[in-house]
């Protein structure tokens, strides 16, 4: 079939919205009509050329929601008409990783996914001239129709609005999950969140959900303050307005250091600050941000010797087929909020505006509705 998609031809160039060919689903695969997709900073990161795994030409996008249109042979867990959220972290429930309760990082298709290919080593997308176009994160939600492995689809309730719950495909789950699954933060804790964008705000609402006592938000952009307060931030810090070193300032503000700190910036200097303002003896710092190719983190080992822990999280430690439907339920029950964070709704033709808004710091989430 033919489908309209936003193609990333080269790093650093705007996407081109055009028709492409899409082959039907093969064994274990599913054709999905994407109804809506968010634009995450990670899409921008890959498009910029900073991603060591970035390959071109490709169809980016990993924060979608849609409807099953067709299934390939052997597919049993979803059927035509089911509402689904694509999963860039699949859940096969069979690999060593899925069988180990310590991780959510299913590895059953990770190699081909990183190469922009389906598990059989081929792409379903081609140009109208027949040249291959790569998949991205196994999801390629910047295409109106896309093909995914069955294990990369979470079946969700049919009454959930696509233009809101698409955000659960990455940002919401990553932020809330970092608090609940990775930090396992307790009621009454003190926390510092660096970066009050589409991920950091969800960390903040995760902290509010579990009953944190103090939620400090740190961002260079003062315009992010209002929304963060709406989601539960108790103190705002703009590093540009702090005289001297940020670490002692934050340690003082949190009465000795935070129980949990989260980086949602992708900046390795910020990651160091986040570790070092965690409480001596027990503070944990969780890296969420994705850093550019070649960037490295550093600290004095003494920071760890004296009881701080450095951790990371992908997709908030969530097992997608199991956890994503529950997070959709939380949204539908009003337990978590999404709507105010979706600051812009765009058509596919205007998808590059979503990247411009992100660069200008004017959006939290832009969502493309097909
Ligand atoms: P975003 O652009 O919406 O937000 C980033 C925020 O960080 C902005 O508000 C910006 O002003 C702030 N910021 C930038 N530099 C800063 C600094 N030095 N100090 C303080 N604040 C600073 O991006 P997002 O969509 O929220 O994504 C945040 C990061 O999380 C990105 O690196 C993204 O790639 C990553 N991410 C990781 C996962 C995962 O599974 N680990 C999932 C989604 C996104
Ligand atoms: N490919 C990059 C890293 C990109 C990355 O860390 N991706 C996160 C999800 S970000 C979603 O917005 C992730 O899930 N990582 C685990 C994985 O297996 O990719 C690089 O640096 O090579
Ligand atoms: Zn993302």
């Amino acid at each position: 079939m033919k489908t309209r998609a936003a193609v990333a031809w080269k790093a650093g160039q705007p996407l081109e919205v055009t028709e492409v060919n899409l082959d039907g689903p093969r064994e274990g695969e599913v054709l999905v009509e994407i109804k809506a997709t968010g634009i995450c900073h990670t899409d921008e990161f890959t498009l910029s050329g900073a991603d060591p795994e970035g390959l071109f030409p490709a169809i980016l996008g990993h924060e979608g929601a849609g409807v099953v249109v067709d299934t390939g042979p052997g597919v049993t867990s979803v059927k035509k008409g089911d509402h689904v959220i694509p999963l860039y972290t699949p859940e096969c429930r069979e690999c060593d990783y899925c069988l180990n309760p310590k991780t959510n990082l299913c590895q059953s298709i990770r190699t081909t996914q990183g190469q922009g290919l389906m598990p059989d080593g081929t792409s379903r997308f081609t140009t109208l001239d027949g040249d291959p176009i790569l998949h991205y994160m196994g999801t390629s939600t910047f295409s109106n129709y896309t093909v995914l492995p069955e294990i990369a689809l979470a079946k969700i309730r049919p009454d959930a609005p696509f233009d809101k719950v698409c955000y659960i495909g990455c940002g919401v789950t990553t932020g809330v999950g970092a608090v609940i699954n990775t930090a396992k933060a307790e009621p009454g804790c003190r926390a510092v969140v660096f970066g009050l964008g589409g991920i950091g705000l969800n960390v903040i609402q995760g902290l509010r959900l579990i009953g944190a006592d103090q939620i400090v938000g740190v961002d260079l952009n003062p315009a992010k303050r209002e929304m963060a307060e709406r989601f539960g931030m108790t103190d705002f810090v703009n590093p540009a307005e702090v005289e001297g070193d940020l670490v002692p300032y934050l340690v003082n503000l949190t009465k000795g250091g935070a129980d949990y700190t989260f980086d949602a910036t992708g900046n390795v200097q910020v990651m160091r600050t986040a570790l070092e303002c965690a409480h001596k003896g027990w503070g944990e710092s969780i890296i969420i941000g994705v850093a550019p190719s070649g960037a490295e983190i550093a600290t004095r080992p003494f920071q760890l010797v004296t009881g701080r822990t450095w951790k990371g999280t992908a997709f908030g430690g969530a097992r997608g087929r199991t956890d994503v439907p529950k997070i959709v339920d939380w949204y539908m029950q009003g337990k978590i909020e999404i709507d105010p964070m979706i600051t812009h709704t765009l058509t596919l033709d205007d998808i590059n505006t979503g990247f411009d808004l992100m660069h200008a710091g004017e959006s939290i989430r832009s969502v493309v509705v097909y």
Side-chain angles (χ1 to χ4, degrees):
M1 65 177 287
K2 291 188 172 34
T3 182
R4 268 164 53 78
V7 180
W9 295 109
K10 269 178 128 178
Q13 282 187 0
L15 304 179
E16 187 197 7
V17 178
T18 185
E19 270 206 328
V20 299
N21 291 318
L22 177 63
D23 272 358
R26 298 188 189 168
E27 176 92 28
E29 298 177 1
V30 180
L31 173 67
V32 174
E33 179 185 358
I34 299 294
K35 296 285 193 181
T37 178
I39 304 173
C40 173
H41 204 120
T42 307
D43 297 306
E44 191 279 336
F45 161 78
T46 302
L47 183 59
S48 75
D51 183 353
E53 279 191 308
L55 297 167
F56 300 90
I59 298 174
L60 305 179
H62 63 280
E63 199 174 73
V67 182
V68 172
V69 176
D70 194 11
T71 54
V75 171
T76 56
S77 60
V78 290
K79 60 180 186 315
K80 194 175 165 180
D82 282 348
H83 291 202
V84 289
I85 288 184
L87 302 169
Y88 60 83
T89 306
E91 185 185 348
C92 75
R93 299 176 173 162
E94 286 173 355
C95 72
D96 288 348
Y97 287 72
C98 280
L99 295 178
N100 188 330
K102 292 182 178 174
T103 184
N104 66 326
L105 294 177
C106 175
Q107 293 295 291
S108 59
I109 58 170
R110 182 62 183 84
T111 303
T112 47
Q113 183 171 312
Q115 295 163 343
L117 301 169
M118 294 298 284
D120 72 353
T122 62
S123 172
R124 300 289 158 273
F125 292 108
T126 49
T127 65
L128 296 187
D129 293 331
D131 298 322
I133 302 176
L134 295 166
H135 298 250
Y136 172 68
M137 291 177 75
T139 50
S140 290
T141 59
F142 293 168
S143 177
N144 196 181
Y145 290 81
T146 187
V147 171
L148 300 105
E150 170 182 23
I151 59 165
L153 286 172
K155 183 175 162 181
I156 61 164
R157 54 195 279 172
D159 56 340
F162 296 114
D163 62 338
K164 305 295 186 299
V165 298
C166 60
Y167 198 4
I168 295 172
C170 183
V172 173
T173 304
T174 297
V176 173
V179 174
I180 294 176
N181 301 319
T182 308
K184 299 185 173 67
E186 317 82 13
C189 68
R190 296 178 190 273
V192 182
V193 182
F194 293 81
L196 304 177
I199 306 302
L201 286 177
N202 280 294
V203 175
I204 287 179
Q205 81 160 325
L207 287 162
R208 179 175 65 180
L209 193 69
I210 62 101
D213 266 3
Q214 187 181 22
I215 307 173
V216 180
V218 181
D219 203 301
L220 288 167
N221 182 351
K224 303 283 171 133
R225 179 181 189 150
E226 193 181 334
M227 186 75 85
E229 281 173 347
R230 194 192 174 303
F231 277 89
M233 179 180 75
T234 57
D235 307 75
F236 176 69
V237 176
N238 182 345
E241 290 171 2
V242 172
E243 278 180 30
D245 191 351
L246 190 54
V247 171
Y249 182 88
L250 291 168
V251 168
N252 185 44
L253 184 64
T254 54
K255 314 261 183 267
D259 300 298
Y260 299 99
T261 69
F262 299 84
D263 168 72
T265 70
N267 177 316
V268 291
Q269 299 307 324
V270 173
M271 292 175 191
R272 180 176 190 153
T273 303
L275 176 81
E276 295 180 0
C277 74
H279 205 293
K280 186 174 185 175
W282 64 77
E284 290 187 17
S285 186
I286 289 100
I287 295 176
I288 306 172
V290 171
S293 183
E296 294 184 350
I297 48 171
T299 192
R300 287 189 67 220
F302 190 61
Q303 295 286 339
L304 306 185
V305 167
T306 50
R308 296 170 194 82
T309 303
W310 225 341
K311 282 186 176 178
T313 184
F315 198 38
R319 290 171 177 250
R321 289 164 78 196
T322 304
D323 295 337
V324 161
K326 292 182 194 162
I327 298 176
V328 172
D329 287 342
W330 294 355
Y331 166 68
M332 296 300 283
Q333 294 156 1
K335 207 168 162 188
I336 57 167
E337 283 187 281
I338 292 182
D339 301 20
M341 286 189 264
I342 297 176
T343 50
H344 298 80
T345 303
L346 308 167
T347 63
L348 183 63
D349 287 319
D350 289 329
I351 191 166
N352 288 305
T353 305
F355 287 84
D356 296 341
L357 289 162
M358 184 192 291
H359 290 141
E362 285 175 18
S363 57
I364 297 298
R365 258 321 185 248
S366 294
V367 167
V368 168
V369 177
Y370 287 94

